[in-house]
Amino acid sequence: MECKSCGETLQGAYCSACGQKAINERITIRHIFSELFNIITNVDRGFLYTAKMLFIAPGQAIRNYLSGQTRRYYHPLRYIIILVAISVAVNLSLGLYDKQQSDIQSMVGRPDNQEVIQVQQQFNEIVKKYLNIIPLLLIPMLSFFSYLFFRKKGWNYAEHLVLNAYQQGQLAFIGIPFMLIGSLMPEHLALQVMYFIIPFGILYATYVYRQFFQVGWLQAFIKYVLIFIISYIILSILTGIAMIIFVMASGKM
């Protein structure tokens, strides 16, 4: 069989001379939509295989990737970017972020100053625009502290980045059905379903750490909770500083 682009004899699925993929079948509607889906999302079979393995055996899957078996797995950075983007799109389209902010305001109390309320609203609108970046900012911090807490295991910081990228990407994946279920419930129950994501996410992360680092459930749970709390506090402090800078720049301090 010859390559349809350069005429070279094909030895496999791709031409060794020009890289053209061997195509035997005619173009169909299914083929067009499949290609369109791949172009838009750049998702291939590796994505689905990675998602499955991160549910079935996450620790082993990540260790396989780090050992050089990268062909079967989706790239960790692309994996988390796609899933966080989908998660944020679902969150905002269902109005869940605004409901959460309103719920938080009702718990802590609204400020009396109208200008402060306007600044908070403006800041929340800015956060909404960059909501998909926040989980990505958390990964370097999670990785730094997981590196410190498990430094005796011998994995370097870059390998911890891969671990936490896959883990956080899968957590975004897990959160999507919770958001969809919450959107079908009355408002007072919808937020309770959303908050249930946190303990479920901690259990999954404990599962990943236990398998990857090959430690007991209790050690994995305690260390992950500490890593998550420290990282989240630091991110919250940085967000608070950003808000102070925003308020000062607005002249409404």
Side-chain angles (χ1 to χ4, degrees), residues 37-47 50 65 70-71 73-86 136 139 161-162 165-166 169-170 172:
F37 181 76
N38 287 335
I39 290 171
I40 293 173
T41 63
N42 199 24
V43 173
D44 53 20
R45 292 180 181 177
F47 180 89
T50 301
Y65 182 88
T70 58
R71 186 179 181 86
Y73 297 96
Y74 210 64
H75 191 280
L77 185 58
R78 287 167 58 194
Y79 190 76
I80 187 173
I81 288 174
I82 287 175
L83 285 171
V84 166
I86 295 172
L136 302 181
I139 291 174
L161 286 172
V162 171
Y166 273 135
Q170 198 73 350

PDB file of all heavy atoms in Angstrom, residues 37-47 50 65 70-71 73-86 136 139 161-162 165-166 169-170 172:
ATOM      1  N   PHE A  37     -14.520  17.125  16.699  1.00  0.00           N
ATOM      2  CA  PHE A  37     -14.406  17.025  18.154  1.00  0.00           C
ATOM      3  C   PHE A  37     -12.943  17.041  18.585  1.00  0.00           C
ATOM      4  O   PHE A  37     -12.568  17.716  19.541  1.00  0.00           O
ATOM      5  CB  PHE A  37     -15.080  15.736  18.628  1.00  0.00           C
ATOM      6  CG  PHE A  37     -15.046  15.544  20.121  1.00  0.00           C
ATOM      7  CD1 PHE A  37     -15.878  16.260  20.944  1.00  0.00           C
ATOM      8  CD2 PHE A  37     -14.166  14.633  20.694  1.00  0.00           C
ATOM      9  CE1 PHE A  37     -15.846  16.088  22.318  1.00  0.00           C
ATOM     10  CE2 PHE A  37     -14.126  14.453  22.060  1.00  0.00           C
ATOM     11  CZ  PHE A  37     -14.979  15.177  22.872  1.00  0.00           C
ATOM     12  N   ASN A  38     -12.110  16.313  17.860  1.00  0.00           N
ATOM     13  CA  ASN A  38     -10.685  16.264  18.192  1.00  0.00           C
ATOM     14  C   ASN A  38     -10.005  17.604  17.970  1.00  0.00           C
ATOM     15  O   ASN A  38      -9.123  18.004  18.730  1.00  0.00           O
ATOM     16  CB  ASN A  38      -9.982  15.193  17.362  1.00  0.00           C
ATOM     17  CG  ASN A  38     -10.313  13.790  17.825  1.00  0.00           C
ATOM     18  OD1 ASN A  38     -10.670  13.585  18.970  1.00  0.00           O
ATOM     19  ND2 ASN A  38     -10.226  12.828  16.924  1.00  0.00           N
ATOM     20  N   ILE A  39     -10.426  18.334  16.930  1.00  0.00           N
ATOM     21  CA  ILE A  39      -9.841  19.645  16.646  1.00  0.00           C
ATOM     22  C   ILE A  39     -10.198  20.635  17.746  1.00  0.00           C
ATOM     23  O   ILE A  39      -9.367  21.401  18.224  1.00  0.00           O
ATOM     24  CB  ILE A  39     -10.324  20.167  15.278  1.00  0.00           C
ATOM     25  CG1 ILE A  39      -9.698  19.331  14.142  1.00  0.00           C
ATOM     26  CG2 ILE A  39      -9.964  21.638  15.094  1.00  0.00           C
ATOM     27  CD1 ILE A  39     -10.269  19.621  12.792  1.00  0.00           C
ATOM     28  N   ILE A  40     -11.486  20.623  18.158  1.00  0.00           N
ATOM     29  CA  ILE A  40     -11.951  21.590  19.159  1.00  0.00           C
ATOM     30  C   ILE A  40     -11.337  21.323  20.527  1.00  0.00           C
ATOM     31  O   ILE A  40     -10.863  22.231  21.211  1.00  0.00           O
ATOM     32  CB  ILE A  40     -13.487  21.556  19.258  1.00  0.00           C
ATOM     33  CG1 ILE A  40     -14.099  22.088  17.942  1.00  0.00           C
ATOM     34  CG2 ILE A  40     -13.981  22.414  20.434  1.00  0.00           C
ATOM     35  CD1 ILE A  40     -15.598  21.943  17.881  1.00  0.00           C
ATOM     36  N   THR A  41     -11.326  20.069  20.944  1.00  0.00           N
ATOM     37  CA  THR A  41     -10.881  19.744  22.305  1.00  0.00           C
ATOM     38  C   THR A  41      -9.505  19.114  22.363  1.00  0.00           C
ATOM     39  O   THR A  41      -8.911  19.026  23.419  1.00  0.00           O
ATOM     40  CB  THR A  41     -11.874  18.768  22.970  1.00  0.00           C
ATOM     41  OG1 THR A  41     -11.871  17.544  22.224  1.00  0.00           O
ATOM     42  CG2 THR A  41     -13.276  19.347  22.984  1.00  0.00           C
ATOM     43  N   ASN A  42      -9.016  18.654  21.220  1.00  0.00           N
ATOM     44  CA  ASN A  42      -7.737  17.954  21.140  1.00  0.00           C
ATOM     45  C   ASN A  42      -7.728  16.739  22.079  1.00  0.00           C
ATOM     46  O   ASN A  42      -6.725  16.395  22.692  1.00  0.00           O
ATOM     47  CB  ASN A  42      -6.573  18.896  21.487  1.00  0.00           C
ATOM     48  CG  ASN A  42      -5.251  18.357  20.980  1.00  0.00           C
ATOM     49  OD1 ASN A  42      -5.213  17.567  20.042  1.00  0.00           O
ATOM     50  ND2 ASN A  42      -4.165  18.776  21.584  1.00  0.00           N
ATOM     51  N   VAL A  43      -8.893  16.133  22.224  1.00  0.00           N
ATOM     52  CA  VAL A  43      -9.035  14.961  23.082  1.00  0.00           C
ATOM     53  C   VAL A  43      -8.957  13.703  22.221  1.00  0.00           C
ATOM     54  O   VAL A  43      -9.642  13.591  21.220  1.00  0.00           O
ATOM     55  CB  VAL A  43     -10.382  14.982  23.844  1.00  0.00           C
ATOM     56  CG1 VAL A  43     -10.587  13.682  24.603  1.00  0.00           C
ATOM     57  CG2 VAL A  43     -10.418  16.160  24.789  1.00  0.00           C
ATOM     58  N   ASP A  44      -8.120  12.780  22.570  1.00  0.00           N
ATOM     59  CA  ASP A  44      -8.013  11.520  21.846  1.00  0.00           C
ATOM     60  C   ASP A  44      -8.286  10.369  22.807  1.00  0.00           C
ATOM     61  O   ASP A  44      -8.741  10.563  23.923  1.00  0.00           O
ATOM     62  CB  ASP A  44      -6.642  11.386  21.176  1.00  0.00           C
ATOM     63  CG  ASP A  44      -5.513  11.593  22.188  1.00  0.00           C
ATOM     64  OD1 ASP A  44      -5.776  11.455  23.394  1.00  0.00           O
ATOM     65  OD2 ASP A  44      -4.391  11.900  21.767  1.00  0.00           O
ATOM     66  N   ARG A  45      -8.008   9.157  22.345  1.00  0.00           N
ATOM     67  CA  ARG A  45      -8.277   7.984  23.182  1.00  0.00           C
ATOM     68  C   ARG A  45      -7.498   8.025  24.493  1.00  0.00           C
ATOM     69  O   ARG A  45      -7.924   7.473  25.485  1.00  0.00           O
ATOM     70  CB  ARG A  45      -7.932   6.722  22.405  1.00  0.00           C
ATOM     71  CG  ARG A  45      -8.863   6.455  21.240  1.00  0.00           C
ATOM     72  CD  ARG A  45      -8.478   5.194  20.507  1.00  0.00           C
ATOM     73  NE  ARG A  45      -9.348   4.945  19.365  1.00  0.00           N
ATOM     74  CZ  ARG A  45      -9.198   3.949  18.525  1.00  0.00           C
ATOM     75  NH1 ARG A  45      -8.201   3.084  18.689  1.00  0.00           N
ATOM     76  NH2 ARG A  45     -10.022   3.790  17.508  1.00  0.00           N
ATOM     77  N   GLY A  46      -6.352   8.667  24.503  1.00  0.00           N
ATOM     78  CA  GLY A  46      -5.558   8.763  25.717  1.00  0.00           C
ATOM     79  C   GLY A  46      -6.290   9.467  26.832  1.00  0.00           C
ATOM     80  O   GLY A  46      -6.088   9.164  28.008  1.00  0.00           O
ATOM     81  N   PHE A  47      -7.154  10.401  26.479  1.00  0.00           N
ATOM     82  CA  PHE A  47      -7.923  11.138  27.489  1.00  0.00           C
ATOM     83  C   PHE A  47      -8.864  10.192  28.225  1.00  0.00           C
ATOM     84  O   PHE A  47      -8.908  10.175  29.460  1.00  0.00           O
ATOM     85  CB  PHE A  47      -8.708  12.265  26.821  1.00  0.00           C
ATOM     86  CG  PHE A  47      -9.531  13.078  27.776  1.00  0.00           C
ATOM     87  CD1 PHE A  47      -8.994  14.190  28.397  1.00  0.00           C
ATOM     88  CD2 PHE A  47     -10.842  12.723  28.069  1.00  0.00           C
ATOM     89  CE1 PHE A  47      -9.744  14.947  29.289  1.00  0.00           C
ATOM     90  CE2 PHE A  47     -11.597  13.457  28.957  1.00  0.00           C
ATOM     91  CZ  PHE A  47     -11.044  14.573  29.566  1.00  0.00           C
ATOM     92  N   THR A  50      -6.948   7.679  30.329  1.00  0.00           N
ATOM     93  CA  THR A  50      -6.407   8.329  31.530  1.00  0.00           C
ATOM     94  C   THR A  50      -7.490   8.531  32.571  1.00  0.00           C
ATOM     95  O   THR A  50      -7.280   8.249  33.764  1.00  0.00           O
ATOM     96  CB  THR A  50      -5.769   9.680  31.165  1.00  0.00           C
ATOM     97  OG1 THR A  50      -4.729   9.461  30.207  1.00  0.00           O
ATOM     98  CG2 THR A  50      -5.188  10.363  32.387  1.00  0.00           C
ATOM     99  N   TYR A  65       3.120   6.785  34.190  1.00  0.00           N
ATOM    100  CA  TYR A  65       3.436   7.972  33.386  1.00  0.00           C
ATOM    101  C   TYR A  65       4.830   8.490  33.738  1.00  0.00           C
ATOM    102  O   TYR A  65       5.626   8.822  32.855  1.00  0.00           O
ATOM    103  CB  TYR A  65       2.393   9.064  33.622  1.00  0.00           C
ATOM    104  CG  TYR A  65       2.629  10.296  32.784  1.00  0.00           C
ATOM    105  CD1 TYR A  65       2.094  10.410  31.501  1.00  0.00           C
ATOM    106  CD2 TYR A  65       3.392  11.360  33.271  1.00  0.00           C
ATOM    107  CE1 TYR A  65       2.322  11.539  30.725  1.00  0.00           C
ATOM    108  CE2 TYR A  65       3.623  12.490  32.505  1.00  0.00           C
ATOM    109  CZ  TYR A  65       3.085  12.572  31.230  1.00  0.00           C
ATOM    110  OH  TYR A  65       3.319  13.693  30.468  1.00  0.00           O
ATOM    111  N   THR A  70       4.340   7.260  28.663  1.00  0.00           N
ATOM    112  CA  THR A  70       3.540   8.460  28.402  1.00  0.00           C
ATOM    113  C   THR A  70       2.604   8.299  27.208  1.00  0.00           C
ATOM    114  O   THR A  70       1.673   9.088  27.049  1.00  0.00           O
ATOM    115  CB  THR A  70       4.459   9.663  28.152  1.00  0.00           C
ATOM    116  OG1 THR A  70       5.319   9.369  27.029  1.00  0.00           O
ATOM    117  CG2 THR A  70       5.324   9.947  29.377  1.00  0.00           C
ATOM    118  N   ARG A  71       2.852   7.338  26.351  1.00  0.00           N
ATOM    119  CA  ARG A  71       2.074   7.208  25.112  1.00  0.00           C
ATOM    120  C   ARG A  71       0.593   6.940  25.383  1.00  0.00           C
ATOM    121  O   ARG A  71      -0.280   7.462  24.689  1.00  0.00           O
ATOM    122  CB  ARG A  71       2.665   6.093  24.240  1.00  0.00           C
ATOM    123  CG  ARG A  71       2.019   5.985  22.866  1.00  0.00           C
ATOM    124  CD  ARG A  71       2.675   4.884  22.042  1.00  0.00           C
ATOM    125  NE  ARG A  71       2.077   4.777  20.720  1.00  0.00           N
ATOM    126  CZ  ARG A  71       2.446   5.500  19.676  1.00  0.00           C
ATOM    127  NH1 ARG A  71       3.412   6.380  19.791  1.00  0.00           N
ATOM    128  NH2 ARG A  71       1.850   5.340  18.502  1.00  0.00           N
ATOM    129  N   TYR A  73      -1.115   7.724  28.064  1.00  0.00           N
ATOM    130  CA  TYR A  73      -1.763   8.667  28.973  1.00  0.00           C
ATOM    131  C   TYR A  73      -1.811  10.074  28.386  1.00  0.00           C
ATOM    132  O   TYR A  73      -0.922  10.487  27.650  1.00  0.00           O
ATOM    133  CB  TYR A  73      -1.035   8.698  30.321  1.00  0.00           C
ATOM    134  CG  TYR A  73      -1.085   7.383  31.053  1.00  0.00           C
ATOM    135  CD1 TYR A  73      -0.037   6.467  30.964  1.00  0.00           C
ATOM    136  CD2 TYR A  73      -2.190   7.040  31.820  1.00  0.00           C
ATOM    137  CE1 TYR A  73      -0.085   5.251  31.621  1.00  0.00           C
ATOM    138  CE2 TYR A  73      -2.243   5.822  32.490  1.00  0.00           C
ATOM    139  CZ  TYR A  73      -1.183   4.933  32.388  1.00  0.00           C
ATOM    140  OH  TYR A  73      -1.244   3.722  33.044  1.00  0.00           O
ATOM    141  N   TYR A  74      -2.857  10.786  28.766  1.00  0.00           N
ATOM    142  CA  TYR A  74      -3.011  12.177  28.348  1.00  0.00           C
ATOM    143  C   TYR A  74      -2.069  13.050  29.166  1.00  0.00           C
ATOM    144  O   TYR A  74      -1.857  12.808  30.355  1.00  0.00           O
ATOM    145  CB  TYR A  74      -4.457  12.610  28.574  1.00  0.00           C
ATOM    146  CG  TYR A  74      -4.940  13.659  27.612  1.00  0.00           C
ATOM    147  CD1 TYR A  74      -5.034  13.404  26.243  1.00  0.00           C
ATOM    148  CD2 TYR A  74      -5.317  14.917  28.067  1.00  0.00           C
ATOM    149  CE1 TYR A  74      -5.483  14.364  25.367  1.00  0.00           C
ATOM    150  CE2 TYR A  74      -5.778  15.880  27.192  1.00  0.00           C
ATOM    151  CZ  TYR A  74      -5.852  15.601  25.844  1.00  0.00           C
ATOM    152  OH  TYR A  74      -6.299  16.565  24.977  1.00  0.00           O
ATOM    153  N   HIS A  75      -1.515  14.075  28.536  1.00  0.00           N
ATOM    154  CA  HIS A  75      -0.575  14.952  29.230  1.00  0.00           C
ATOM    155  C   HIS A  75      -1.253  15.591  30.450  1.00  0.00           C
ATOM    156  O   HIS A  75      -2.373  16.105  30.337  1.00  0.00           O
ATOM    157  CB  HIS A  75      -0.077  16.038  28.279  1.00  0.00           C
ATOM    158  CG  HIS A  75       1.073  16.816  28.821  1.00  0.00           C
ATOM    159  ND1 HIS A  75       0.919  17.844  29.740  1.00  0.00           N
ATOM    160  CD2 HIS A  75       2.411  16.718  28.586  1.00  0.00           C
ATOM    161  CE1 HIS A  75       2.095  18.338  30.031  1.00  0.00           C
ATOM    162  NE2 HIS A  75       3.019  17.679  29.356  1.00  0.00           N
ATOM    163  N   PRO A  76      -0.612  15.573  31.626  1.00  0.00           N
ATOM    164  CA  PRO A  76      -1.268  16.058  32.854  1.00  0.00           C
ATOM    165  C   PRO A  76      -1.719  17.518  32.793  1.00  0.00           C
ATOM    166  O   PRO A  76      -2.795  17.857  33.306  1.00  0.00           O
ATOM    167  CB  PRO A  76      -0.190  15.864  33.933  1.00  0.00           C
ATOM    168  CG  PRO A  76       1.094  15.697  33.193  1.00  0.00           C
ATOM    169  CD  PRO A  76       0.743  15.056  31.891  1.00  0.00           C
ATOM    170  N   LEU A  77      -0.929  18.387  32.155  1.00  0.00           N
ATOM    171  CA  LEU A  77      -1.312  19.793  32.083  1.00  0.00           C
ATOM    172  C   LEU A  77      -2.523  19.983  31.186  1.00  0.00           C
ATOM    173  O   LEU A  77      -3.465  20.705  31.544  1.00  0.00           O
ATOM    174  CB  LEU A  77      -0.135  20.637  31.576  1.00  0.00           C
ATOM    175  CG  LEU A  77      -0.362  22.156  31.563  1.00  0.00           C
ATOM    176  CD1 LEU A  77      -0.714  22.665  32.949  1.00  0.00           C
ATOM    177  CD2 LEU A  77       0.874  22.872  31.025  1.00  0.00           C
ATOM    178  N   ARG A  78      -2.520  19.329  30.040  1.00  0.00           N
ATOM    179  CA  ARG A  78      -3.672  19.404  29.144  1.00  0.00           C
ATOM    180  C   ARG A  78      -4.898  18.792  29.805  1.00  0.00           C
ATOM    181  O   ARG A  78      -6.025  19.289  29.646  1.00  0.00           O
ATOM    182  CB  ARG A  78      -3.370  18.684  27.830  1.00  0.00           C
ATOM    183  CG  ARG A  78      -2.404  19.435  26.927  1.00  0.00           C
ATOM    184  CD  ARG A  78      -1.889  18.555  25.805  1.00  0.00           C
ATOM    185  NE  ARG A  78      -2.949  18.022  24.983  1.00  0.00           N
ATOM    186  CZ  ARG A  78      -2.793  17.031  24.115  1.00  0.00           C
ATOM    187  NH1 ARG A  78      -1.606  16.446  23.985  1.00  0.00           N
ATOM    188  NH2 ARG A  78      -3.803  16.609  23.381  1.00  0.00           N
ATOM    189  N   TYR A  79      -4.689  17.728  30.569  1.00  0.00           N
ATOM    190  CA  TYR A  79      -5.794  17.040  31.238  1.00  0.00           C
ATOM    191  C   TYR A  79      -6.505  17.967  32.218  1.00  0.00           C
ATOM    192  O   TYR A  79      -7.733  18.100  32.178  1.00  0.00           O
ATOM    193  CB  TYR A  79      -5.258  15.810  31.960  1.00  0.00           C
ATOM    194  CG  TYR A  79      -6.327  14.891  32.491  1.00  0.00           C
ATOM    195  CD1 TYR A  79      -7.035  14.055  31.638  1.00  0.00           C
ATOM    196  CD2 TYR A  79      -6.622  14.842  33.853  1.00  0.00           C
ATOM    197  CE1 TYR A  79      -8.011  13.202  32.120  1.00  0.00           C
ATOM    198  CE2 TYR A  79      -7.601  13.990  34.343  1.00  0.00           C
ATOM    199  CZ  TYR A  79      -8.290  13.177  33.468  1.00  0.00           C
ATOM    200  OH  TYR A  79      -9.272  12.343  33.963  1.00  0.00           O
ATOM    201  N   ILE A  80      -5.736  18.626  33.067  1.00  0.00           N
ATOM    202  CA  ILE A  80      -6.375  19.490  34.063  1.00  0.00           C
ATOM    203  C   ILE A  80      -6.958  20.741  33.423  1.00  0.00           C
ATOM    204  O   ILE A  80      -8.025  21.219  33.819  1.00  0.00           O
ATOM    205  CB  ILE A  80      -5.394  19.869  35.201  1.00  0.00           C
ATOM    206  CG1 ILE A  80      -6.169  20.634  36.301  1.00  0.00           C
ATOM    207  CG2 ILE A  80      -4.214  20.684  34.697  1.00  0.00           C
ATOM    208  CD1 ILE A  80      -5.377  20.917  37.529  1.00  0.00           C
ATOM    209  N   ILE A  81      -6.312  21.289  32.393  1.00  0.00           N
ATOM    210  CA  ILE A  81      -6.832  22.494  31.747  1.00  0.00           C
ATOM    211  C   ILE A  81      -8.200  22.228  31.124  1.00  0.00           C
ATOM    212  O   ILE A  81      -9.140  23.018  31.283  1.00  0.00           O
ATOM    213  CB  ILE A  81      -5.840  23.021  30.685  1.00  0.00           C
ATOM    214  CG1 ILE A  81      -4.625  23.647  31.373  1.00  0.00           C
ATOM    215  CG2 ILE A  81      -6.508  24.047  29.776  1.00  0.00           C
ATOM    216  CD1 ILE A  81      -3.528  24.065  30.419  1.00  0.00           C
ATOM    217  N   ILE A  82      -8.332  21.102  30.419  1.00  0.00           N
ATOM    218  CA  ILE A  82      -9.604  20.759  29.780  1.00  0.00           C
ATOM    219  C   ILE A  82     -10.706  20.540  30.812  1.00  0.00           C
ATOM    220  O   ILE A  82     -11.809  21.097  30.699  1.00  0.00           O
ATOM    221  CB  ILE A  82      -9.445  19.507  28.898  1.00  0.00           C
ATOM    222  CG1 ILE A  82      -8.654  19.850  27.631  1.00  0.00           C
ATOM    223  CG2 ILE A  82     -10.808  18.928  28.508  1.00  0.00           C
ATOM    224  CD1 ILE A  82      -8.341  18.657  26.763  1.00  0.00           C
ATOM    225  N   LEU A  83     -10.412  19.764  31.852  1.00  0.00           N
ATOM    226  CA  LEU A  83     -11.444  19.429  32.829  1.00  0.00           C
ATOM    227  C   LEU A  83     -11.825  20.625  33.700  1.00  0.00           C
ATOM    228  O   LEU A  83     -12.998  20.795  34.038  1.00  0.00           O
ATOM    229  CB  LEU A  83     -10.985  18.259  33.696  1.00  0.00           C
ATOM    230  CG  LEU A  83     -11.033  16.916  32.973  1.00  0.00           C
ATOM    231  CD1 LEU A  83     -10.369  15.826  33.785  1.00  0.00           C
ATOM    232  CD2 LEU A  83     -12.481  16.524  32.660  1.00  0.00           C
ATOM    233  N   VAL A  84     -10.859  21.456  34.043  1.00  0.00           N
ATOM    234  CA  VAL A  84     -11.179  22.665  34.807  1.00  0.00           C
ATOM    235  C   VAL A  84     -12.017  23.615  33.960  1.00  0.00           C
ATOM    236  O   VAL A  84     -12.975  24.230  34.455  1.00  0.00           O
ATOM    237  CB  VAL A  84      -9.892  23.359  35.290  1.00  0.00           C
ATOM    238  CG1 VAL A  84     -10.186  24.771  35.785  1.00  0.00           C
ATOM    239  CG2 VAL A  84      -9.250  22.553  36.414  1.00  0.00           C
ATOM    240  N   ALA A  85     -11.692  23.735  32.682  1.00  0.00           N
ATOM    241  CA  ALA A  85     -12.465  24.599  31.781  1.00  0.00           C
ATOM    242  C   ALA A  85     -13.914  24.123  31.683  1.00  0.00           C
ATOM    243  O   ALA A  85     -14.851  24.927  31.747  1.00  0.00           O
ATOM    244  CB  ALA A  85     -11.820  24.625  30.399  1.00  0.00           C
ATOM    245  N   ILE A  86     -14.110  22.791  31.552  1.00  0.00           N
ATOM    246  CA  ILE A  86     -15.471  22.243  31.489  1.00  0.00           C
ATOM    247  C   ILE A  86     -16.195  22.464  32.810  1.00  0.00           C
ATOM    248  O   ILE A  86     -17.366  22.871  32.846  1.00  0.00           O
ATOM    249  CB  ILE A  86     -15.427  20.744  31.149  1.00  0.00           C
ATOM    250  CG1 ILE A  86     -14.871  20.531  29.741  1.00  0.00           C
ATOM    251  CG2 ILE A  86     -16.826  20.128  31.260  1.00  0.00           C
ATOM    252  CD1 ILE A  86     -14.625  19.080  29.397  1.00  0.00           C
ATOM    253  N   LEU A 136      -5.383  25.925  38.936  1.00  0.00           N
ATOM    254  CA  LEU A 136      -4.032  25.783  38.405  1.00  0.00           C
ATOM    255  C   LEU A 136      -3.013  26.424  39.337  1.00  0.00           C
ATOM    256  O   LEU A 136      -1.892  25.931  39.479  1.00  0.00           O
ATOM    257  CB  LEU A 136      -3.934  26.417  37.010  1.00  0.00           C
ATOM    258  CG  LEU A 136      -4.891  25.862  35.948  1.00  0.00           C
ATOM    259  CD1 LEU A 136      -4.663  26.563  34.613  1.00  0.00           C
ATOM    260  CD2 LEU A 136      -4.718  24.358  35.789  1.00  0.00           C
ATOM    261  N   ILE A 139      -1.973  24.085  42.301  1.00  0.00           N
ATOM    262  CA  ILE A 139      -1.118  22.921  42.045  1.00  0.00           C
ATOM    263  C   ILE A 139       0.331  23.124  42.492  1.00  0.00           C
ATOM    264  O   ILE A 139       0.904  22.240  43.146  1.00  0.00           O
ATOM    265  CB  ILE A 139      -1.176  22.525  40.556  1.00  0.00           C
ATOM    266  CG1 ILE A 139      -2.566  21.973  40.231  1.00  0.00           C
ATOM    267  CG2 ILE A 139      -0.128  21.466  40.224  1.00  0.00           C
ATOM    268  CD1 ILE A 139      -2.783  21.699  38.783  1.00  0.00           C
ATOM    269  N   LEU A 161       4.367  17.736  40.727  1.00  0.00           N
ATOM    270  CA  LEU A 161       3.489  18.570  39.889  1.00  0.00           C
ATOM    271  C   LEU A 161       2.604  17.689  39.011  1.00  0.00           C
ATOM    272  O   LEU A 161       1.406  17.958  38.855  1.00  0.00           O
ATOM    273  CB  LEU A 161       4.330  19.505  39.013  1.00  0.00           C
ATOM    274  CG  LEU A 161       4.980  20.702  39.706  1.00  0.00           C
ATOM    275  CD1 LEU A 161       5.928  21.422  38.744  1.00  0.00           C
ATOM    276  CD2 LEU A 161       3.912  21.693  40.207  1.00  0.00           C
ATOM    277  N   VAL A 162       3.192  16.651  38.433  1.00  0.00           N
ATOM    278  CA  VAL A 162       2.426  15.719  37.605  1.00  0.00           C
ATOM    279  C   VAL A 162       1.352  15.026  38.447  1.00  0.00           C
ATOM    280  O   VAL A 162       0.184  14.924  38.049  1.00  0.00           O
ATOM    281  CB  VAL A 162       3.356  14.671  36.960  1.00  0.00           C
ATOM    282  CG1 VAL A 162       2.545  13.573  36.279  1.00  0.00           C
ATOM    283  CG2 VAL A 162       4.289  15.336  35.958  1.00  0.00           C
ATOM    284  N   ALA A 165      -1.402  17.540  39.349  1.00  0.00           N
ATOM    285  CA  ALA A 165      -2.143  17.967  38.165  1.00  0.00           C
ATOM    286  C   ALA A 165      -3.180  16.914  37.783  1.00  0.00           C
ATOM    287  O   ALA A 165      -4.348  17.234  37.524  1.00  0.00           O
ATOM    288  CB  ALA A 165      -1.184  18.226  37.004  1.00  0.00           C
ATOM    289  N   TYR A 166      -2.758  15.659  37.753  1.00  0.00           N
ATOM    290  CA  TYR A 166      -3.702  14.579  37.462  1.00  0.00           C
ATOM    291  C   TYR A 166      -4.801  14.511  38.527  1.00  0.00           C
ATOM    292  O   TYR A 166      -5.984  14.348  38.219  1.00  0.00           O
ATOM    293  CB  TYR A 166      -2.971  13.241  37.397  1.00  0.00           C
ATOM    294  CG  TYR A 166      -2.402  12.908  36.039  1.00  0.00           C
ATOM    295  CD1 TYR A 166      -1.099  12.412  35.919  1.00  0.00           C
ATOM    296  CD2 TYR A 166      -3.157  13.053  34.878  1.00  0.00           C
ATOM    297  CE1 TYR A 166      -0.571  12.084  34.663  1.00  0.00           C
ATOM    298  CE2 TYR A 166      -2.631  12.735  33.639  1.00  0.00           C
ATOM    299  CZ  TYR A 166      -1.345  12.250  33.538  1.00  0.00           C
ATOM    300  OH  TYR A 166      -0.834  11.927  32.312  1.00  0.00           O
ATOM    301  N   GLY A 169      -7.153  17.501  38.280  1.00  0.00           N
ATOM    302  CA  GLY A 169      -7.960  17.356  37.077  1.00  0.00           C
ATOM    303  C   GLY A 169      -9.091  16.366  37.280  1.00  0.00           C
ATOM    304  O   GLY A 169     -10.237  16.606  36.879  1.00  0.00           O
ATOM    305  N   GLN A 170      -8.785  15.252  37.941  1.00  0.00           N
ATOM    306  CA  GLN A 170      -9.809  14.239  38.208  1.00  0.00           C
ATOM    307  C   GLN A 170     -10.843  14.751  39.205  1.00  0.00           C
ATOM    308  O   GLN A 170     -12.029  14.411  39.104  1.00  0.00           O
ATOM    309  CB  GLN A 170      -9.152  12.956  38.724  1.00  0.00           C
ATOM    310  CG  GLN A 170     -10.040  11.730  38.631  1.00  0.00           C
ATOM    311  CD  GLN A 170     -10.206  11.232  37.208  1.00  0.00           C
ATOM    312  OE1 GLN A 170      -9.819  11.898  36.252  1.00  0.00           O
ATOM    313  NE2 GLN A 170     -10.778  10.056  37.050  1.00  0.00           N
ATOM    314  N   ALA A 172     -11.839  17.827  39.383  1.00  0.00           N
ATOM    315  CA  ALA A 172     -12.724  18.671  38.571  1.00  0.00           C
ATOM    316  C   ALA A 172     -13.737  17.803  37.822  1.00  0.00           C
ATOM    317  O   ALA A 172     -14.915  18.148  37.703  1.00  0.00           O
ATOM    318  CB  ALA A 172     -11.902  19.502  37.596  1.00  0.00           C
TER     319      ALA A 172
END
